[in-house]
Amino acid sequence: MVQSHNRHPFKIFSGNSNRPLAEAIASALGTKLGDVEVGRFSDGEVCVTANESVRGCDTFIVQSTSGPVNDHLMELLVMIDAFKRASAGRITAVMPYFGYARQDRKAKARDPISAKLVADLLTTAGADRVLTMDLHADQIQGFFNIPVDHLQAAPALAAYYKRQLKTLGKENFVVVSPDAGSVARARKFSQKLGDVPIAIVDKRRPRANVSEVMNIIGEVEDKHCLLLDDLADTAGTLCHAAEALMEKGGAASVSAATTHGVLSGKAVENISKSPIKEFVIMDTIDIPEEKRIDKIRVLTVAHIFAEAMERIYEELPVSTLFN
């Protein structure tokens, strides 16, 4: 429960992208979501009606920019504008999943840098602060000229896998990076588990959403492997890596863990057919019931966001949540 001498009230609102998570965050803070209607005009334009005052309030808007990405992004922008014009004291855009984060640089000539564009849109709309989790690229924080608190799901994931380590034993467990770009993430996570070994799947990506495994770097034979990534879109990368670990590497078993379950296209089918034993996803994106197959286990990050929001409100450091 938020208890403060801060004279400005604390209010949480939610768009339509992930209301279950927003409700869980509000519950963890001992409050309820604010009364706002986020709908559509007949031509599809976003319509926002706030049914309570936010004047002078520390206002948090919980909205993942997950699919349909453009609809949810526009909802967030219009909500920020509505609250800004209603004289909200400070507006924090709480974005458990930050869409467009994969377009963070010019990979080839004439590419846009869409992550920077989204940062500019949020700032222009009137956001005073952004609270997000596991950005695809850390440097996106630098695209903003407002404070960005970048939370990590690793502590929650580590707590889950530490319980499994007690059964399996550290010597039989390997954290695997599904590509060279995720090595730093795998190394940090292995340290949280007490310095378990790491391995790397060397792949190439001939085109978007297609990956081919080349080699496995590290010892995985007869080991229980955990593939770790920041997001699963079509899940092709993780599924191909799992096949390689079992067939080329001789792994005893393969599990996967990712913060953001985008799960587009044939993702659920790919996971279902893959040798992945368990696929752990955080609830930064709302996973509909039809996608919650037996292999998929959803863990919550509500408590992490709740504590971060309380700390922002109380003007306390958020960095303690990284440990």
Side-chain angles (χ1 to χ4, degrees):
M1 176 69 181
V2 179
Q3 293 179 332
S4 175
H5 299 297
N6 190 332
R7 62 188 179 87
H8 300 296
F10 174 104
K11 292 193 177 182
I12 307 170
F13 296 89
S14 175
N16 293 318
S17 72
N18 197 346
R19 195 171 175 90
L21 176 60
E23 288 173 345
I25 292 169
S27 176
L29 289 167
T31 187
K32 291 183 178 180
L33 291 178
D35 186 1
V36 63
E37 296 171 36
V38 184
R40 297 287 183 277
F41 290 109
S42 60
D43 65 351
E45 289 180 6
V46 174
C47 171
V48 171
T49 305
N51 297 317
E52 61 183 82
S53 173
V54 293
R55 184 175 295 274
C57 293
D58 217 333
T59 305
F60 294 83
I61 305 170
V62 181
Q63 178 83 332
S64 282
T65 48
S66 48
V69 182
N70 300 332
D71 287 358
H72 288 151
L73 175 59
M74 202 64 205
E75 280 185 12
L76 177 58
L77 295 172
V78 176
M79 288 177 78
I80 292 169
D81 183 74
F83 291 136
K84 194 75 175 176
R85 293 176 189 279
S87 303
R90 177 173 61 175
I91 298 171
T92 301
V94 181
M95 304 173 70
Y97 171 67
F98 185 96
Y100 283 107
R102 284 173 284 180
Q103 299 179 46
D104 63 304
R105 66 196 186 284
K106 289 184 71 168
K108 59 182 186 296
R110 295 174 295 280
D111 271 2
I113 304 180
S114 306
K116 171 66 170 121
L117 173 61
V118 171
D120 290 343
L121 288 168
L122 288 163
T123 308
T124 302
D128 298 296
R129 189 179 204 100
V130 170
L131 176 62
T132 189
M133 177 171 274
D134 286 343
L135 288 166
H136 187 65
D138 288 351
Q139 66 265 23
I140 292 171
Q141 295 171 85
F143 293 176
F144 289 87
N145 291 323
I146 56 175
V148 177
D149 290 301
H150 186 203
L151 302 176
Q152 297 169 3
L157 277 172
Y160 178 74
Y161 284 105
K162 276 178 182 173
R163 291 194 289 272
Q164 292 196 9
L165 275 180
K166 288 179 181 177
T167 306
L168 299 172
K170 277 169 56 174
E171 68 282 358
N172 298 316
F173 197 85
V174 181
V175 175
V176 183
S177 171
D179 53 36
S182 300
V183 174
R185 182 181 294 108
R187 186 174 290 117
K188 280 183 184 176
F189 194 71
S190 81
Q191 289 168 354
K192 286 188 181 296
L193 295 180
D195 289 317
V196 299
I198 70 166
I200 304 161
V201 176
D202 177 31
K203 69 167 190 185
R204 67 186 183 95
R205 192 181 283 280
R207 60 185 186 277
N209 293 123
V210 176
S211 62
E212 295 176 2
V213 172
M214 310 294 281
N215 299 296
I216 296 167
I217 303 161
E219 181 55 54
V220 299
E221 189 172 0
D222 296 326
K223 306 283 186 182
H224 297 281
C225 297
L226 172 64
L227 281 161
L228 189 72
D229 212 347
D230 66 311
L231 64 85
D233 189 350
T234 62
T237 294
L238 290 166
C239 292
H240 289 153
E243 288 165 9
L245 289 167
M246 295 296 287
E247 293 165 15
K248 291 185 180 181
S253 71
V254 180
S255 297
T258 185
T259 304
H260 310 298
V262 178
L263 303 185
S264 68
K266 293 185 176 180
V268 174
E269 183 183 336
N270 291 338
I271 293 166
S272 179
K273 291 178 179 177
S274 78
I276 293 172
K277 183 177 69 174
E278 183 182 54
F279 203 109
V280 174
I281 296 171
M282 314 310 284
D283 61 352
T284 55
I285 296 172
D286 188 26
I287 309 295
E289 283 302 319
E290 64 269 19
K291 291 186 177 181
R292 295 188 181 222
I293 59 173
D294 290 344
K295 281 188 180 184
I296 292 177
R297 183 180 180 88
V298 181
L299 304 181
T300 189
V301 290
H303 57 293
I304 301 174
F305 276 95
E307 188 169 348
M309 288 159 66
E310 185 166 8
R311 286 179 166 276
I312 289 167
Y313 178 63
E314 298 283 7
E315 305 288 357
L316 295 170
V318 177
S319 57
T320 54
L321 296 177
F322 301 153
N323 301 320

